[in-house]
Amino acid sequence: QVQLVDSGGDSVQAGGSLRLSCTMSGYTYGANCVGWFRQSPGKEREGVASIYNGDGSTLYSDSVKGRFTISQGSASNTVYLQMNDLRLEDTAMYNCAVATCFSDSQHLIAWRDGPGRYRYWSQGTQVTVSS
């Protein structure tokens, strides 16, 4: 049984930082892409960042580029999202999710196709940014 467990969400002031963690178990495919997504009330879920474990390549939404960094932990089943310079508009429920990817091109396709391409999801961790 595939399970993704995320953590690290909190309430912070604008300009602050948080690091989210996503730990995956039971996923038997060696090649995968792990993405972070977020959703706030009244808005559609949007992709934040994604990483392909084959070569560590990453993708980001324009809204977080330069502020957020996705990375893999020393244990290959953990992915982090370092969030710096947080803004009010970053307030959302954040989920990590995994898709099967065997190449950079498949990673890009999954990212562009959106949340529906990511098969397994975490329960979500809340990030709240205040002024």
Side-chain angles (χ1 to χ4, degrees), residues 33 59 101 103-114 118:
C33 303
L59 297 166
C101 300
S103 66
D104 282 336
S105 60
Q106 288 188 2
H107 182 204
L108 184 58
I109 289 170
W111 176 250
R112 287 179 173 173
D113 282 353
Y118 290 74

Side-chain angles (χ1 to χ4, degrees), residues 54-109:
D55 60 7
S57 60
T58 57
L59 297 166
Y60 295 92
S61 68
D62 289 341
S63 62
V64 306
K65 203 171 292 184
R67 299 188 297 123
F68 291 11
T69 303
I70 189 170
S71 63
Q72 276 192 307
S74 55
S76 60
N77 65 335
T78 302
V79 172
Y80 300 103
L81 183 68
Q82 178 67 42
M83 306 187 295
N84 297 329
D85 190 23
L86 283 161
R87 303 170 181 172
L88 299 180
E89 56 264 35
D90 294 320
T91 295
M93 179 70 74
Y94 285 70
N95 295 81
C96 60
V98 63
T100 301
C101 300
F102 293 100
S103 66
D104 282 336
S105 60
Q106 288 188 2
H107 182 204
L108 184 58
I109 289 170

